[in-house]
Amino acid sequence: MIELIRTNDAVIISFVESLMRDAGIGFLTADQNMSVLDGSIGILPRRILVESDRADEARRIVSDAGIAHELRKT
């Protein structure tokens, strides 16, 4: 799995999860339970990891959705 997105924005996380689910791309949202440590104020970013063999497709989907600026650099 590779890191596709890292953000504190819960809306972006939810949107990307939906995009990946709709495309049938396996993903994992990492660090979502870290809010216990930061007191639910959202200072610790969450990460979306996707299947390595479908990473290019996932990047294209995110770009087509208009949020390419959120993608992690490779």
Side-chain angles (χ1 to χ4, degrees):
M1 296 197 99
I2 65 141
E3 185 177 340
L4 184 68
I5 295 211
R6 180 182 300 200
T7 184
N8 296 13
D9 189 330
V11 174
I12 294 290
I13 292 289
S14 179
F15 183 44
V16 173
E17 288 173 338
S18 178
L19 291 171
M20 296 304 108
R21 200 173 294 113
D22 289 349
I25 296 175
F27 69 92
L28 169 71
T29 304
D31 306 323
Q32 58 185 2
N33 294 322
M34 293 301 288
S35 64
V36 170
L37 296 177
D38 73 10
S40 298
I41 60 175
I43 59 170
L44 298 174
R46 278 72 169 168
R47 298 175 293 144
I48 301 254
L49 308 172
V50 295
E51 299 170 313
S52 299
D53 58 335
R54 297 192 68 191
D56 290 337
E57 181 183 359
R59 289 179 173 284
R60 183 185 49 76
I61 289 168
V62 169
S63 293
D64 289 350
I67 55 172
H69 63 281
E70 296 287 347
L71 290 168
R72 295 293 286 178
K73 306 293 184 234
T74 56

Short mmCIF file of all heavy atoms in Angstrom, two decimals:
data_model
loop_
_atom_site.label_atom_id
_atom_site.label_comp_id
_atom_site.label_asym_id
_atom_site.label_seq_id
_atom_site.Cartn_x
_atom_site.Cartn_y
_atom_site.Cartn_z
N MET A 1 0.85 -1.18 0.00
CA MET A 1 0.00 0.00 0.00
C MET A 1 0.89 1.24 0.00
O MET A 1 1.97 1.22 0.58
CB MET A 1 -0.91 0.00 1.21
CG MET A 1 -1.90 -1.16 1.21
SD MET A 1 -3.27 -0.91 2.34
CE MET A 1 -4.50 -0.34 1.19
N ILE A 2 0.40 2.27 -0.66
CA ILE A 2 1.15 3.52 -0.69
C ILE A 2 0.25 4.65 -0.18
O ILE A 2 -0.97 4.59 -0.28
CB ILE A 2 1.67 3.86 -2.10
CG1 ILE A 2 0.52 4.12 -3.06
CG2 ILE A 2 2.58 2.79 -2.64
CD1 ILE A 2 0.81 5.24 -3.99
N GLU A 3 0.89 5.66 0.34
CA GLU A 3 0.15 6.81 0.86
C GLU A 3 -0.30 7.69 -0.29
O GLU A 3 0.51 8.14 -1.10
CB GLU A 3 1.05 7.61 1.81
CG GLU A 3 0.34 8.74 2.48
CD GLU A 3 1.23 9.46 3.48
OE1 GLU A 3 2.24 8.90 3.93
OE2 GLU A 3 0.89 10.61 3.80
N LEU A 4 -1.58 7.93 -0.36
CA LEU A 4 -2.17 8.76 -1.40
C LEU A 4 -2.38 10.18 -0.91
O LEU A 4 -2.04 11.14 -1.59
CB LEU A 4 -3.50 8.15 -1.85
CG LEU A 4 -4.23 8.81 -3.00
CD1 LEU A 4 -3.46 8.62 -4.30
CD2 LEU A 4 -5.64 8.24 -3.13
N ILE A 5 -2.93 10.30 0.30
CA ILE A 5 -3.30 11.60 0.86
C ILE A 5 -2.98 11.63 2.34
O ILE A 5 -3.14 10.62 3.03
CB ILE A 5 -4.81 11.86 0.65
CG1 ILE A 5 -5.09 11.96 -0.83
CG2 ILE A 5 -5.31 13.04 1.45
CD1 ILE A 5 -6.17 12.83 -1.27
N ARG A 6 -2.56 12.79 2.82
CA ARG A 6 -2.38 13.03 4.26
C ARG A 6 -2.97 14.40 4.55
O ARG A 6 -2.55 15.40 3.99
CB ARG A 6 -0.89 13.02 4.62
CG ARG A 6 -0.66 13.26 6.11
CD ARG A 6 0.81 13.29 6.43
NE ARG A 6 1.43 12.03 6.06
CZ ARG A 6 2.58 11.60 6.54
NH1 ARG A 6 3.26 12.34 7.39
NH2 ARG A 6 3.08 10.44 6.16
N THR A 7 -3.99 14.43 5.40
CA THR A 7 -4.66 15.70 5.68
C THR A 7 -5.35 15.67 7.04
O THR A 7 -5.65 14.61 7.57
CB THR A 7 -5.70 16.02 4.58
OG1 THR A 7 -6.29 17.30 4.82
CG2 THR A 7 -6.80 14.98 4.52
N ASN A 8 -5.62 16.85 7.54
CA ASN A 8 -6.41 17.01 8.77
C ASN A 8 -7.89 17.24 8.44
O ASN A 8 -8.71 17.27 9.33
CB ASN A 8 -5.93 18.23 9.56
CG ASN A 8 -4.53 18.09 10.04
OD1 ASN A 8 -3.79 17.21 9.63
ND2 ASN A 8 -4.13 18.97 10.93
N ASP A 9 -8.19 17.43 7.17
CA ASP A 9 -9.54 17.77 6.72
C ASP A 9 -10.41 16.52 6.63
O ASP A 9 -10.27 15.70 5.71
CB ASP A 9 -9.45 18.47 5.36
CG ASP A 9 -10.75 19.07 4.90
OD1 ASP A 9 -11.82 18.53 5.26
OD2 ASP A 9 -10.71 20.07 4.17
N ALA A 10 -11.35 16.40 7.55
CA ALA A 10 -12.23 15.22 7.60
C ALA A 10 -13.11 15.12 6.36
O ALA A 10 -13.47 14.01 5.94
CB ALA A 10 -13.10 15.27 8.86
N VAL A 11 -13.45 16.24 5.77
CA VAL A 11 -14.29 16.22 4.56
C VAL A 11 -13.51 15.63 3.39
O VAL A 11 -14.04 14.80 2.64
CB VAL A 11 -14.80 17.65 4.22
CG1 VAL A 11 -15.53 17.67 2.90
CG2 VAL A 11 -15.70 18.16 5.34
N ILE A 12 -12.25 16.02 3.24
CA ILE A 12 -11.41 15.46 2.17
C ILE A 12 -11.25 13.95 2.38
O ILE A 12 -11.36 13.18 1.42
CB ILE A 12 -10.03 16.16 2.13
CG1 ILE A 12 -10.17 17.63 1.73
CG2 ILE A 12 -9.07 15.43 1.20
CD1 ILE A 12 -10.56 17.88 0.31
N ILE A 13 -10.99 13.55 3.61
CA ILE A 13 -10.83 12.12 3.90
C ILE A 13 -12.09 11.35 3.49
O ILE A 13 -12.02 10.34 2.80
CB ILE A 13 -10.52 11.88 5.40
CG1 ILE A 13 -9.13 12.42 5.74
CG2 ILE A 13 -10.64 10.41 5.77
CD1 ILE A 13 -7.98 11.63 5.17
N SER A 14 -13.24 11.84 3.89
CA SER A 14 -14.50 11.19 3.57
C SER A 14 -14.73 11.14 2.07
O SER A 14 -15.17 10.12 1.52
CB SER A 14 -15.64 11.93 4.27
OG SER A 14 -16.87 11.35 3.96
N PHE A 15 -14.42 12.24 1.39
CA PHE A 15 -14.60 12.32 -0.06
C PHE A 15 -13.71 11.31 -0.78
O PHE A 15 -14.16 10.56 -1.66
CB PHE A 15 -14.31 13.74 -0.53
CG PHE A 15 -14.53 13.97 -2.00
CD1 PHE A 15 -15.66 13.49 -2.65
CD2 PHE A 15 -13.61 14.69 -2.74
CE1 PHE A 15 -15.85 13.72 -4.00
CE2 PHE A 15 -13.80 14.93 -4.09
CZ PHE A 15 -14.93 14.44 -4.73
N VAL A 16 -12.44 11.24 -0.40
CA VAL A 16 -11.51 10.31 -1.04
C VAL A 16 -11.90 8.86 -0.74
O VAL A 16 -11.83 8.00 -1.62
CB VAL A 16 -10.05 10.61 -0.63
CG1 VAL A 16 -9.10 9.56 -1.15
CG2 VAL A 16 -9.64 12.00 -1.13
N GLU A 17 -12.32 8.59 0.49
CA GLU A 17 -12.81 7.25 0.81
C GLU A 17 -13.95 6.86 -0.12
O GLU A 17 -13.99 5.75 -0.64
CB GLU A 17 -13.28 7.18 2.27
CG GLU A 17 -12.18 7.21 3.28
CD GLU A 17 -12.70 7.31 4.71
OE1 GLU A 17 -13.85 7.77 4.93
OE2 GLU A 17 -11.95 6.93 5.62
N SER A 18 -14.88 7.77 -0.34
CA SER A 18 -16.02 7.52 -1.22
C SER A 18 -15.55 7.28 -2.66
O SER A 18 -16.04 6.36 -3.33
CB SER A 18 -16.97 8.71 -1.17
OG SER A 18 -18.05 8.53 -2.04
N LEU A 19 -14.62 8.09 -3.13
CA LEU A 19 -14.09 7.92 -4.48
C LEU A 19 -13.44 6.54 -4.65
O LEU A 19 -13.67 5.85 -5.65
CB LEU A 19 -13.07 9.01 -4.81
CG LEU A 19 -13.59 10.43 -4.97
CD1 LEU A 19 -12.42 11.41 -5.05
CD2 LEU A 19 -14.47 10.54 -6.20
N MET A 20 -12.64 6.15 -3.67
CA MET A 20 -11.95 4.86 -3.75
C MET A 20 -12.95 3.70 -3.67
O MET A 20 -12.85 2.73 -4.41
CB MET A 20 -10.90 4.72 -2.65
CG MET A 20 -9.75 5.72 -2.74
SD MET A 20 -8.87 5.69 -4.30
CE MET A 20 -9.40 7.23 -5.05
N ARG A 21 -13.92 3.82 -2.79
CA ARG A 21 -14.95 2.79 -2.65
C ARG A 21 -15.72 2.63 -3.96
O ARG A 21 -15.93 1.51 -4.44
CB ARG A 21 -15.89 3.17 -1.51
CG ARG A 21 -16.69 2.04 -0.94
CD ARG A 21 -17.48 2.44 0.31
NE ARG A 21 -16.61 2.78 1.43
CZ ARG A 21 -16.49 4.00 1.96
NH1 ARG A 21 -17.20 5.01 1.51
NH2 ARG A 21 -15.68 4.22 2.97
N ASP A 22 -16.13 3.75 -4.56
CA ASP A 22 -16.88 3.71 -5.82
C ASP A 22 -16.07 3.09 -6.95
O ASP A 22 -16.62 2.44 -7.84
CB ASP A 22 -17.35 5.10 -6.23
CG ASP A 22 -18.46 5.64 -5.34
OD1 ASP A 22 -19.02 4.86 -4.54
OD2 ASP A 22 -18.76 6.85 -5.43
N ALA A 23 -14.74 3.30 -6.94
CA ALA A 23 -13.86 2.77 -7.99
C ALA A 23 -13.44 1.33 -7.71
O ALA A 23 -12.80 0.70 -8.55
CB ALA A 23 -12.63 3.65 -8.12
N GLY A 24 -13.77 0.82 -6.53
CA GLY A 24 -13.38 -0.54 -6.17
C GLY A 24 -11.90 -0.68 -5.85
O GLY A 24 -11.34 -1.76 -5.98
N ILE A 25 -11.30 0.41 -5.44
CA ILE A 25 -9.87 0.40 -5.09
C ILE A 25 -9.75 0.17 -3.59
O ILE A 25 -10.36 0.90 -2.80
CB ILE A 25 -9.19 1.73 -5.49
CG1 ILE A 25 -9.24 1.90 -7.01
CG2 ILE A 25 -7.75 1.77 -4.97
CD1 ILE A 25 -8.72 3.21 -7.51
N GLY A 26 -8.98 -0.84 -3.21
CA GLY A 26 -8.78 -1.12 -1.80
C GLY A 26 -7.99 0.01 -1.13
O GLY A 26 -7.03 0.51 -1.70
N PHE A 27 -8.44 0.42 0.04
CA PHE A 27 -7.78 1.50 0.75
C PHE A 27 -7.84 1.26 2.25
O PHE A 27 -8.63 0.46 2.74
CB PHE A 27 -8.39 2.85 0.40
CG PHE A 27 -9.79 3.04 0.93
CD1 PHE A 27 -10.01 3.64 2.16
CD2 PHE A 27 -10.89 2.61 0.22
CE1 PHE A 27 -11.29 3.81 2.67
CE2 PHE A 27 -12.18 2.77 0.70
CZ PHE A 27 -12.37 3.37 1.93
N LEU A 28 -7.02 2.00 2.95
CA LEU A 28 -7.00 1.98 4.41
C LEU A 28 -6.87 3.41 4.87
O LEU A 28 -6.04 4.17 4.36
CB LEU A 28 -5.79 1.18 4.91
CG LEU A 28 -5.48 1.28 6.40
CD1 LEU A 28 -6.54 0.55 7.22
CD2 LEU A 28 -4.11 0.71 6.70
N THR A 29 -7.72 3.81 5.81
CA THR A 29 -7.59 5.13 6.41
C THR A 29 -6.81 4.94 7.70
O THR A 29 -7.31 4.36 8.66
CB THR A 29 -8.96 5.77 6.68
OG1 THR A 29 -9.69 5.80 5.46
CG2 THR A 29 -8.80 7.16 7.23
N ALA A 30 -5.58 5.42 7.68
CA ALA A 30 -4.68 5.24 8.83
C ALA A 30 -4.75 6.46 9.75
O ALA A 30 -5.04 7.57 9.31
CB ALA A 30 -3.25 5.04 8.34
N ASP A 31 -4.50 6.23 11.00
CA ASP A 31 -4.39 7.27 12.02
C ASP A 31 -5.72 7.94 12.37
O ASP A 31 -5.73 8.98 13.01
CB ASP A 31 -3.38 8.36 11.61
CG ASP A 31 -2.02 7.78 11.26
OD1 ASP A 31 -1.61 6.82 11.93
OD2 ASP A 31 -1.39 8.28 10.32
N GLN A 32 -6.84 7.33 12.00
CA GLN A 32 -8.11 7.98 12.32
C GLN A 32 -8.44 7.94 13.80
O GLN A 32 -9.22 8.75 14.28
CB GLN A 32 -9.24 7.46 11.47
CG GLN A 32 -9.53 6.00 11.53
CD GLN A 32 -10.61 5.63 10.52
OE1 GLN A 32 -11.10 6.47 9.77
NE2 GLN A 32 -10.98 4.39 10.51
N ASN A 33 -7.83 7.05 14.55
CA ASN A 33 -8.08 7.00 15.99
C ASN A 33 -7.08 7.83 16.78
O ASN A 33 -7.11 7.82 18.01
CB ASN A 33 -8.08 5.55 16.48
CG ASN A 33 -9.24 4.78 15.91
OD1 ASN A 33 -10.33 5.30 15.77
ND2 ASN A 33 -9.00 3.54 15.54
N MET A 34 -6.23 8.56 16.09
CA MET A 34 -5.25 9.41 16.76
C MET A 34 -5.91 10.61 17.43
O MET A 34 -5.30 11.30 18.23
CB MET A 34 -4.18 9.88 15.77
CG MET A 34 -3.31 8.74 15.26
SD MET A 34 -2.44 7.86 16.56
CE MET A 34 -1.23 9.09 17.01
N SER A 35 -7.19 10.86 17.12
CA SER A 35 -7.89 11.98 17.74
C SER A 35 -7.96 11.82 19.25
O SER A 35 -8.13 12.80 19.97
CB SER A 35 -9.29 12.14 17.15
OG SER A 35 -10.08 11.00 17.45
N VAL A 36 -7.81 10.61 19.73
CA VAL A 36 -7.78 10.38 21.17
C VAL A 36 -6.60 11.12 21.78
O VAL A 36 -6.69 11.70 22.86
CB VAL A 36 -7.69 8.86 21.47
CG1 VAL A 36 -7.42 8.61 22.94
CG2 VAL A 36 -8.95 8.16 21.03
N LEU A 37 -5.49 11.13 21.05
CA LEU A 37 -4.28 11.81 21.54
C LEU A 37 -4.34 13.32 21.39
O LEU A 37 -3.78 14.04 22.20
CB LEU A 37 -3.04 11.28 20.80
CG LEU A 37 -2.72 9.80 21.02
CD1 LEU A 37 -1.53 9.40 20.17
CD2 LEU A 37 -2.43 9.53 22.48
N ASP A 38 -4.98 13.79 20.32
CA ASP A 38 -4.99 15.24 20.11
C ASP A 38 -6.26 15.90 20.66
O ASP A 38 -6.50 17.07 20.43
CB ASP A 38 -4.75 15.60 18.65
CG ASP A 38 -5.92 15.33 17.71
OD1 ASP A 38 -7.03 15.03 18.19
OD2 ASP A 38 -5.71 15.41 16.49
N GLY A 39 -7.06 15.16 21.39
CA GLY A 39 -8.25 15.73 22.03
C GLY A 39 -9.34 16.09 21.04
O GLY A 39 -10.13 17.00 21.29
N SER A 40 -9.37 15.41 19.90
CA SER A 40 -10.39 15.63 18.86
C SER A 40 -10.36 17.04 18.26
O SER A 40 -11.37 17.52 17.75
CB SER A 40 -11.80 15.33 19.41
OG SER A 40 -11.88 13.97 19.78
N ILE A 41 -9.21 17.70 18.32
CA ILE A 41 -9.11 19.02 17.70
C ILE A 41 -8.55 18.96 16.29
O ILE A 41 -8.48 19.96 15.60
CB ILE A 41 -8.30 20.01 18.57
CG1 ILE A 41 -6.88 19.51 18.79
CG2 ILE A 41 -9.01 20.29 19.87
CD1 ILE A 41 -5.98 20.50 19.53
N GLY A 42 -8.15 17.78 15.85
CA GLY A 42 -7.75 17.59 14.46
C GLY A 42 -6.37 18.06 14.07
O GLY A 42 -6.15 18.42 12.93
N ILE A 43 -5.44 18.08 15.01
CA ILE A 43 -4.10 18.54 14.65
C ILE A 43 -3.23 17.43 14.04
O ILE A 43 -2.26 17.72 13.37
CB ILE A 43 -3.35 19.16 15.86
CG1 ILE A 43 -3.20 18.15 16.99
CG2 ILE A 43 -4.03 20.42 16.31
CD1 ILE A 43 -2.29 18.60 18.12
N LEU A 44 -3.60 16.19 14.28
CA LEU A 44 -2.83 15.07 13.71
C LEU A 44 -3.50 14.62 12.41
O LEU A 44 -4.68 14.31 12.39
CB LEU A 44 -2.77 13.90 14.70
CG LEU A 44 -2.07 14.21 16.02
CD1 LEU A 44 -2.20 13.03 16.99
CD2 LEU A 44 -0.61 14.54 15.78
N PRO A 45 -2.74 14.60 11.32
CA PRO A 45 -3.34 14.25 10.02
C PRO A 45 -3.69 12.77 9.92
O PRO A 45 -3.07 11.92 10.56
CB PRO A 45 -2.24 14.61 9.03
CG PRO A 45 -0.98 14.56 9.80
CD PRO A 45 -1.33 14.94 11.21
N ARG A 46 -4.69 12.50 9.12
CA ARG A 46 -5.07 11.13 8.78
C ARG A 46 -4.48 10.84 7.41
O ARG A 46 -4.24 11.75 6.61
CB ARG A 46 -6.59 10.98 8.70
CG ARG A 46 -7.25 10.77 10.06
CD ARG A 46 -7.23 12.01 10.84
NE ARG A 46 -8.07 11.94 12.05
CZ ARG A 46 -8.00 12.83 12.98
NH1 ARG A 46 -7.14 13.83 12.90
NH2 ARG A 46 -8.76 12.74 14.03
N ARG A 47 -4.26 9.56 7.11
CA ARG A 47 -3.68 9.17 5.82
C ARG A 47 -4.59 8.18 5.12
O ARG A 47 -5.18 7.33 5.77
CB ARG A 47 -2.32 8.52 6.03
CG ARG A 47 -1.30 9.43 6.66
CD ARG A 47 0.00 8.71 6.95
NE ARG A 47 -0.22 7.71 8.00
CZ ARG A 47 0.38 6.53 8.05
NH1 ARG A 47 1.26 6.18 7.13
NH2 ARG A 47 0.13 5.69 9.04
N ILE A 48 -4.67 8.32 3.81
CA ILE A 48 -5.37 7.32 2.98
C ILE A 48 -4.28 6.56 2.24
O ILE A 48 -3.48 7.14 1.51
CB ILE A 48 -6.32 7.98 1.97
CG1 ILE A 48 -7.35 8.80 2.68
CG2 ILE A 48 -6.93 6.91 1.07
CD1 ILE A 48 -8.73 8.29 2.76
N LEU A 49 -4.26 5.25 2.44
CA LEU A 49 -3.33 4.37 1.76
C LEU A 49 -4.13 3.56 0.74
O LEU A 49 -5.25 3.12 1.05
CB LEU A 49 -2.66 3.42 2.75
CG LEU A 49 -2.01 4.08 3.97
CD1 LEU A 49 -1.55 3.01 4.96
CD2 LEU A 49 -0.86 4.95 3.57
N VAL A 50 -3.57 3.37 -0.45
CA VAL A 50 -4.25 2.60 -1.49
C VAL A 50 -3.37 1.45 -1.96
O VAL A 50 -2.16 1.45 -1.75
CB VAL A 50 -4.65 3.48 -2.69
CG1 VAL A 50 -5.68 4.52 -2.29
CG2 VAL A 50 -3.44 4.12 -3.34
N GLU A 51 -4.00 0.50 -2.63
CA GLU A 51 -3.29 -0.64 -3.19
C GLU A 51 -2.20 -0.14 -4.14
O GLU A 51 -2.46 0.69 -5.01
CB GLU A 51 -4.24 -1.54 -3.98
CG GLU A 51 -5.36 -2.13 -3.17
CD GLU A 51 -6.40 -2.81 -4.04
OE1 GLU A 51 -6.83 -2.23 -5.05
OE2 GLU A 51 -6.77 -3.94 -3.67
N SER A 52 -1.01 -0.65 -3.98
CA SER A 52 0.14 -0.20 -4.78
C SER A 52 -0.11 -0.37 -6.27
O SER A 52 0.24 0.52 -7.06
CB SER A 52 1.40 -0.97 -4.39
OG SER A 52 1.70 -0.74 -3.04
N ASP A 53 -0.70 -1.47 -6.67
CA ASP A 53 -0.89 -1.73 -8.09
C ASP A 53 -1.98 -0.88 -8.73
O ASP A 53 -2.12 -0.85 -9.94
CB ASP A 53 -1.14 -3.22 -8.35
CG ASP A 53 -2.36 -3.76 -7.61
OD1 ASP A 53 -2.74 -3.19 -6.58
OD2 ASP A 53 -2.92 -4.77 -8.08
N ARG A 54 -2.73 -0.16 -7.92
CA ARG A 54 -3.79 0.73 -8.45
C ARG A 54 -3.56 2.18 -8.06
O ARG A 54 -4.46 3.02 -8.19
CB ARG A 54 -5.15 0.24 -7.96
CG ARG A 54 -5.44 -1.18 -8.51
CD ARG A 54 -6.81 -1.64 -8.34
NE ARG A 54 -7.76 -0.89 -9.16
CZ ARG A 54 -9.06 -1.00 -9.00
NH1 ARG A 54 -9.57 -1.79 -8.08
NH2 ARG A 54 -9.89 -0.32 -9.76
N ALA A 55 -2.34 2.49 -7.63
CA ALA A 55 -2.02 3.84 -7.17
C ALA A 55 -2.18 4.89 -8.28
O ALA A 55 -2.71 5.97 -8.04
CB ALA A 55 -0.61 3.89 -6.60
N ASP A 56 -1.74 4.56 -9.49
CA ASP A 56 -1.87 5.53 -10.59
C ASP A 56 -3.33 5.82 -10.90
O ASP A 56 -3.71 6.97 -11.12
CB ASP A 56 -1.16 5.00 -11.85
CG ASP A 56 0.35 4.99 -11.70
OD1 ASP A 56 0.89 5.75 -10.87
OD2 ASP A 56 1.00 4.21 -12.43
N GLU A 57 -4.15 4.78 -10.87
CA GLU A 57 -5.58 4.96 -11.09
C GLU A 57 -6.20 5.83 -9.98
O GLU A 57 -7.00 6.73 -10.24
CB GLU A 57 -6.27 3.60 -11.14
CG GLU A 57 -7.76 3.66 -11.38
CD GLU A 57 -8.42 2.30 -11.35
OE1 GLU A 57 -7.73 1.28 -11.15
OE2 GLU A 57 -9.66 2.27 -11.51
N ALA A 58 -5.80 5.56 -8.74
CA ALA A 58 -6.31 6.34 -7.60
C ALA A 58 -5.91 7.81 -7.73
O ALA A 58 -6.72 8.70 -7.48
CB ALA A 58 -5.78 5.76 -6.29
N ARG A 59 -4.67 8.06 -8.14
CA ARG A 59 -4.21 9.44 -8.34
C ARG A 59 -5.02 10.15 -9.43
O ARG A 59 -5.39 11.31 -9.29
CB ARG A 59 -2.73 9.47 -8.71
CG ARG A 59 -1.83 9.11 -7.57
CD ARG A 59 -0.36 9.15 -8.02
NE ARG A 59 0.49 8.97 -6.88
CZ ARG A 59 0.75 9.90 -5.97
NH1 ARG A 59 0.22 11.09 -6.10
NH2 ARG A 59 1.52 9.66 -4.95
N ARG A 60 -5.30 9.43 -10.51
CA ARG A 60 -6.09 10.02 -11.60
C ARG A 60 -7.50 10.36 -11.12
O ARG A 60 -8.02 11.43 -11.41
CB ARG A 60 -6.16 9.05 -12.78
CG ARG A 60 -6.91 9.63 -13.98
CD ARG A 60 -7.09 8.62 -15.10
NE ARG A 60 -7.59 7.33 -14.68
CZ ARG A 60 -8.85 7.06 -14.36
NH1 ARG A 60 -9.76 8.01 -14.39
NH2 ARG A 60 -9.21 5.84 -14.00
N ILE A 61 -8.09 9.47 -10.35
CA ILE A 61 -9.45 9.70 -9.83
C ILE A 61 -9.48 10.94 -8.94
O ILE A 61 -10.37 11.78 -9.05
CB ILE A 61 -9.96 8.45 -9.08
CG1 ILE A 61 -10.24 7.33 -10.09
CG2 ILE A 61 -11.19 8.76 -8.25
CD1 ILE A 61 -10.46 5.97 -9.47
N VAL A 62 -8.49 11.05 -8.06
CA VAL A 62 -8.43 12.21 -7.17
C VAL A 62 -8.21 13.49 -7.98
O VAL A 62 -8.84 14.52 -7.72
CB VAL A 62 -7.33 12.01 -6.09
CG1 VAL A 62 -7.07 13.29 -5.33
CG2 VAL A 62 -7.74 10.89 -5.13
N SER A 63 -7.34 13.42 -8.97
CA SER A 63 -7.10 14.59 -9.83
C SER A 63 -8.36 14.99 -10.58
O SER A 63 -8.70 16.17 -10.66
CB SER A 63 -5.98 14.30 -10.82
OG SER A 63 -4.75 14.15 -10.16
N ASP A 64 -9.05 13.99 -11.15
CA ASP A 64 -10.29 14.27 -11.88
C ASP A 64 -11.36 14.86 -10.98
O ASP A 64 -12.23 15.60 -11.45
CB ASP A 64 -10.83 12.98 -12.54
CG ASP A 64 -9.98 12.51 -13.70
OD1 ASP A 64 -9.07 13.25 -14.15
OD2 ASP A 64 -10.20 11.36 -14.16
N ALA A 65 -11.31 14.56 -9.69
CA ALA A 65 -12.28 15.09 -8.73
C ALA A 65 -11.94 16.53 -8.32
O ALA A 65 -12.69 17.15 -7.56
CB ALA A 65 -12.35 14.20 -7.50
N GLY A 66 -10.81 17.05 -8.80
CA GLY A 66 -10.47 18.44 -8.53
C GLY A 66 -9.69 18.69 -7.26
O GLY A 66 -9.58 19.83 -6.81
N ILE A 67 -9.14 17.64 -6.66
CA ILE A 67 -8.38 17.83 -5.42
C ILE A 67 -6.96 17.29 -5.54
O ILE A 67 -6.39 16.77 -4.59
CB ILE A 67 -9.12 17.23 -4.21
CG1 ILE A 67 -9.44 15.75 -4.42
CG2 ILE A 67 -10.35 18.04 -3.86
CD1 ILE A 67 -9.98 15.05 -3.19
N ALA A 68 -6.38 17.46 -6.73
CA ALA A 68 -5.01 16.98 -6.97
C ALA A 68 -4.00 17.61 -6.01
O ALA A 68 -2.98 16.99 -5.67
CB ALA A 68 -4.60 17.25 -8.41
N HIS A 69 -4.29 18.81 -5.54
CA HIS A 69 -3.38 19.49 -4.61
C HIS A 69 -3.25 18.73 -3.29
O HIS A 69 -2.29 18.96 -2.54
CB HIS A 69 -3.84 20.92 -4.35
CG HIS A 69 -5.18 21.01 -3.69
ND1 HIS A 69 -6.37 20.86 -4.41
CD2 HIS A 69 -5.54 21.18 -2.41
CE1 HIS A 69 -7.38 20.96 -3.56
NE2 HIS A 69 -6.91 21.16 -2.35
N GLU A 70 -4.15 17.82 -3.01
CA GLU A 70 -4.11 17.03 -1.78
C GLU A 70 -3.20 15.80 -1.89
O GLU A 70 -2.86 15.19 -0.88
CB GLU A 70 -5.50 16.57 -1.38
CG GLU A 70 -6.46 17.69 -1.02
CD GLU A 70 -6.15 18.33 0.32
OE1 GLU A 70 -5.35 17.77 1.12
OE2 GLU A 70 -6.72 19.39 0.59
N LEU A 71 -2.84 15.42 -3.12
CA LEU A 71 -2.03 14.21 -3.33
C LEU A 71 -0.64 14.36 -2.73
O LEU A 71 -0.02 15.41 -2.82
CB LEU A 71 -1.90 13.90 -4.82
CG LEU A 71 -3.18 13.42 -5.50
CD1 LEU A 71 -3.01 13.44 -7.01
CD2 LEU A 71 -3.56 12.04 -5.01
N ARG A 72 -0.14 13.25 -2.17
CA ARG A 72 1.23 13.21 -1.68
C ARG A 72 2.17 13.13 -2.85
O ARG A 72 1.88 12.48 -3.85
CB ARG A 72 1.44 12.00 -0.76
CG ARG A 72 0.65 12.03 0.51
CD ARG A 72 1.06 13.10 1.44
NE ARG A 72 2.32 12.76 2.06
CZ ARG A 72 2.98 13.52 2.91
NH1 ARG A 72 2.48 14.69 3.24
NH2 ARG A 72 4.09 13.13 3.43
N LYS A 73 3.30 13.77 -2.75
CA LYS A 73 4.31 13.69 -3.80
C LYS A 73 4.95 12.32 -3.79
O LYS A 73 5.17 11.74 -2.73
CB LYS A 73 5.39 14.75 -3.59
CG LYS A 73 4.86 16.17 -3.45
CD LYS A 73 4.24 16.65 -4.75
CE LYS A 73 3.80 18.08 -4.61
NZ LYS A 73 2.44 18.32 -4.95
N THR A 74 5.25 11.78 -4.95
CA THR A 74 5.88 10.47 -5.03
C THR A 74 7.38 10.58 -5.12
O THR A 74 7.94 11.58 -5.33
CB THR A 74 5.37 9.68 -6.25
OG1 THR A 74 5.58 10.44 -7.42
CG2 THR A 74 3.92 9.34 -6.09
#
